[in-house]
Amino acid sequence: MGRPPRRRRTWAPATLMGRRKLPCRFSPPSPHARRCSPPTPPPSKIGQLDVVAVTTFGLPCKSAPKTTFHPRRSSIMATSNPTRLTVLISGNGTNLQALIDACRDGPLDPARIIRVISNRKSAYGLQRAENASIPTAYHNLVSYKKLYPNDVDRARSAYDADLASLVLADEPDLVVCAGFMHILTPLFLDPLAKAGVKIINLHPSLPEAFKGTNAIERAHAAWLEGKIEKSGIMIHEVILAVDEGQPLLVVEIPFVKGEDEDLERFEQKVHEVEWKAIVRGTKMAIERIV
């Protein structure tokens, strides 16, 4: 028997009275747009989780190197259709690269990244996506601020409404914010919720600890002042309140005296943990929606 046809979602994008529709810059679709083709080999340390204590859905797991946790025994492989992922980025895209690799004969196979969207034109993550034959789009807030120079809130609302339209046009099953430096408003969140599309985010902090930007630097400074003994990262659902959505995965990273005093070295340690955690958190999110 053939595969049943995919049911299309219906949705109504939010609009603003009297505003002009601003174009987004798309990369041309390729014949392999729905596949994660082999990217440049990742660094050897990607996927190594050396010092972790994992908590998922509020339930602590025993601390141990290379901990694995599966809250469900259902498999992504059991789905009739590959899960469609849209990834939002702003920078270098190392977390995106981890997702690309995981879609290529990895833990997320046969999930597919159907588009990568960046709010920064210079983001190297766009090149990583193109290297893997994944369609991209550049969607920047600056154009909207020029359109509404005296109303920043209206500019942000218009930007988010168009971002929602851009995302939903691809009919994703899940949106992953992988270093996306933009606070999302209801003009983005509400249309995706109506369409049944979940959104998750990676944040380099423990829950309720260091919300917002520069979380790694702020945690490091707090440790040097003797206020904390550990930091971490979390994969959480995205809601209106910044970095306050329900955590799917929490990874603790203890500070090590004589090693982590150097901020740059500690940042690299955090990033190496992120590369595996974002894959694990994305897989958990997929298993909750299939």
Side-chain angles (χ1 to χ4, degrees):
M1 295 180 65
R3 178 178 297 177
R6 183 180 181 87
R7 183 169 60 88
R8 296 180 64 87
R9 294 187 178 92
T10 58
W11 54 276
T15 59
L16 293 175
M17 294 295 293
R19 67 176 176 88
R20 291 191 290 113
K21 187 78 170 181
L22 292 175
C24 299
R25 300 181 184 178
F26 289 86
S27 65
S30 75
H32 307 290
R34 291 176 177 251
R35 296 189 60 189
C36 294
S37 60
T40 303
S44 60
K45 291 186 177 180
I46 287 183
Q48 297 179 0
L49 217 57
D50 296 324
V51 282
V52 301
V54 181
T55 303
T56 52
F57 302 102
L59 300 176
C61 298
K62 184 177 180 180
S63 300
K66 300 181 181 178
T67 305
T68 58
F69 181 79
H70 303 281
R72 291 185 177 184
R73 292 301 176 184
S74 61
S75 172
I76 295 176
M77 295 296 293
T79 61
S80 59
N81 295 311
T83 304
R84 297 164 61 83
L85 307 177
T86 295
V87 183
L88 307 183
I89 66 168
S90 293
N92 188 42
T94 55
N95 289 314
L96 167 65
Q97 187 68 59
L99 292 172
I100 291 173
D101 296 342
C103 286
R104 179 178 53 89
D105 301 324
L108 297 183
D109 183 39
R112 297 174 180 172
I113 301 176
I114 56 174
R115 190 174 299 279
V116 172
I117 302 173
S118 174
N119 61 349
R120 296 179 181 174
K121 187 176 182 180
S122 61
Y124 185 68
L126 292 174
Q127 184 61 52
R128 293 179 187 272
E130 292 178 7
N131 291 344
S133 300
I134 299 171
T136 63
Y138 166 58
H139 187 61
N140 195 287
L141 180 60
V142 174
S143 299
Y144 294 82
K145 289 182 177 179
K146 291 179 179 178
L147 183 60
Y148 303 109
N150 300 318
D151 194 339
V152 176
D153 289 339
R154 190 177 184 188
R156 290 177 60 85
S157 295
Y159 172 88
D160 277 17
D162 286 348
L163 179 60
S165 298
L166 172 61
V167 168
L168 289 172
D170 290 325
E171 296 188 336
D173 298 304
L174 179 68
V175 173
V176 181
C177 298
F180 187 55
M181 304 303 292
H182 176 76
I183 298 176
L184 296 166
T185 70
L187 271 296
F188 177 83
L189 299 175
D190 291 349
L192 267 70
K194 184 176 180 180
V197 179
K198 296 293 185 182
I199 313 167
I200 61 173
N201 178 56
L202 181 150
H203 182 62
S205 169
L206 296 175
E208 303 297 328
F210 298 96
K211 304 171 188 175
T213 60
N214 302 317
I216 298 176
E217 294 87 339
R218 289 154 55 203
H220 186 264
W223 174 64
L224 292 177
E225 295 172 3
K227 297 179 179 179
I228 61 174
E229 296 182 354
K230 61 187 177 182
S231 186
I233 66 170
M234 64 174 174
I235 309 296
H236 65 91
E237 296 178 356
V238 174
I239 61 175
L240 184 58
V242 177
D243 299 327
E244 293 188 19
Q246 175 67 37
L248 301 181
L249 175 69
V250 175
V251 183
E252 296 180 352
I253 306 175
F255 285 98
V256 179
K257 291 183 178 181
E259 178 179 312
D260 291 334
E261 285 79 6
D262 182 270
L263 175 58
E264 184 175 346
R265 183 173 180 177
F266 179 70
E267 286 179 331
Q268 182 63 22
K269 176 190 289 188
V270 173
H271 294 325
E272 290 176 6
V273 174
E274 289 176 349
W275 296 332
K276 184 165 186 177
I278 196 168
V279 172
R280 185 187 303 172
T282 299
K283 182 176 181 181
M284 293 169 64
I286 291 172
E287 290 175 340
R288 297 184 74 181
I289 62 177
V290 296

